[in-house]
Amino acid sequence: MAMQRIDKLLASQGFGSRKEVGALLRAGRVTVDGTAVRSGETKADAERQTVAVDGKVICYKEFIYLMMNKPAGVISASNDPKAETVVDLVPPALRRRGIFPAGRLDKDTTGLLILTDDGDFAHRMLSPKKGVDKLYEAVLDGPVGQAEAEAFRRGIVFADGTVCLPAGLCVLREGENPLVQVRIREGKFHQVKKMFRAVGRTVLALRRVQIGALKLDPALQEGECRELTEEEKKFVFEVQKAD
Ligand code: URA
């Protein structure tokens, strides 16, 4: 990492706005290699030097990547004056870095959501051209079979003429309210719900379980999040064979 202004560096790591960081500096609470620095203009390289706030060494990360098990009832946005957002569920120090959800799940959809402050990563993950499949499990209001799977495979056309890319559909549990798995590559608004509506079915519950080869960690309770490992970050872009 190149040298950069200490106030910019600390702000990027979630220590507050440039103004708030300025106050930390003036109070002598920031050290670089053990020496207090009081000017925001001082340059430092957090990967080569030891930067500490209140004696606690900061662990510099250029970007942050979180896996969340999204609960129902919160919206996929960074902030909202009225509704609770997924970013509200993230610990404050990480929230201050300016993270956002990479893609949206509907308010009532649960499951795997990635939050990051890395715009390029989010774009690569979401662009259909990059071939990252998203896997959902849905509970339906009635049975589906070969005909619906074939329609998904050919590419569903919505009532307004919008054509979807070919998608995968398989039944995981038969019954009056079957549990099905859907594999899609795009993220059109209400896509899965609309695809089922196009074949005469209603989605009663929807959960995202996988992005690329990255599976939702079963240990994460709804509403919880944790950082992705380096390996998991790569899993996102690993092409999976359809089941
Ligand atoms: N498709 C939907 O209909 N809703 C979601 O939240 C995600 C995909």
Side-chain angles (χ1 to χ4, degrees):
M1 198 200 92
M3 300 282 273
Q4 60 173 309
R5 284 177 60 126
I6 190 81
D7 55 358
K8 187 164 173 233
L9 190 156
L10 290 173
S12 79
Q13 299 302 295
F15 285 93
S17 63
R18 292 279 271 274
K19 198 168 155 208
E20 287 163 338
V21 167
L24 286 179
L25 287 157
R26 281 192 300 281
R29 293 167 61 186
V30 180
T31 55
V32 176
D33 291 337
T35 305
V37 292
R38 290 173 189 272
S39 163
E41 286 174 20
T42 306
K43 296 225 164 104
D45 180 340
E47 280 171 351
R48 290 167 197 271
Q49 294 177 287
T50 305
V51 178
V53 177
D54 293 333
K56 213 167 146 215
V57 176
I58 72 162
C59 176
Y60 177 82
K61 286 180 189 145
E62 187 178 10
F63 296 115
I64 195 124
Y65 307 87
L66 302 176
M67 169 194 289
M68 175 178 282
N69 184 357
K70 179 191 173 297
V74 295
I75 62 168
S76 297
S78 298
N79 52 59
D80 189 276
K82 292 200 200 96
E84 189 178 28
T85 73
V86 288
V87 172
D88 293 332
L89 302 177
V90 170
L94 297 177
R95 210 185 303 155
R96 282 198 295 268
R97 291 184 58 125
I99 55 165
F100 56 88
R104 283 166 191 268
L105 293 178
D106 295 338
K107 191 171 180 183
D108 59 353
T109 301
T110 60
L112 177 57
L113 186 69
I114 292 177
L115 297 108
T116 183
D117 50 2
D118 183 346
D120 281 349
F121 181 96
H123 174 72
R124 274 200 297 142
M125 193 187 101
L126 297 172
S127 167
K129 287 192 196 122
K130 305 291 179 194
V132 176
D133 284 350
K134 285 89 189 172
L135 208 65
Y136 292 85
E137 288 180 2
V139 178
L140 304 177
D141 67 338
V144 285
Q146 289 273 312
E148 289 79 11
E150 185 54 25
F152 272 45
R153 199 191 57 73
R154 281 196 307 266
I156 292 287
V157 183
F158 295 154
D160 67 358
T162 305
V163 181
C164 298
L165 289 174
L169 168 62
C170 64
V171 177
L172 299 176
R173 192 188 62 222
E174 310 259 3
E176 235 172 83
N177 295 123
L179 176 69
V180 300
Q181 187 189 71
V182 183
R183 182 183 292 276
I184 58 174
R185 191 159 284 190
E186 358 165 53
K188 297 187 197 304
F189 188 54
H190 296 329
Q191 177 151 357
V192 174
K193 291 172 186 166
K194 284 180 172 168
M195 285 167 71
F196 280 108
R197 215 168 293 149
V199 295
R201 285 284 164 247
T202 298
V203 171
L204 303 179
L206 187 62
R207 194 165 88 100
R208 184 157 65 190
V209 293
Q210 193 171 324
I211 298 175
L214 176 71
K215 289 183 167 53
L216 176 64
D217 181 347
L220 267 188
Q221 300 299 308
E222 283 190 5
E224 287 182 349
C225 63
R226 66 157 173 81
E227 281 190 54
L228 292 182
T229 63
E230 285 303 315
E231 196 184 23
E232 285 176 328
K233 267 194 276 170
K234 292 190 196 120
F235 283 173
V236 170
F237 300 104
E238 237 174 55
V239 177
Q240 284 282 285
K241 277 206 309 260
D243 300 324

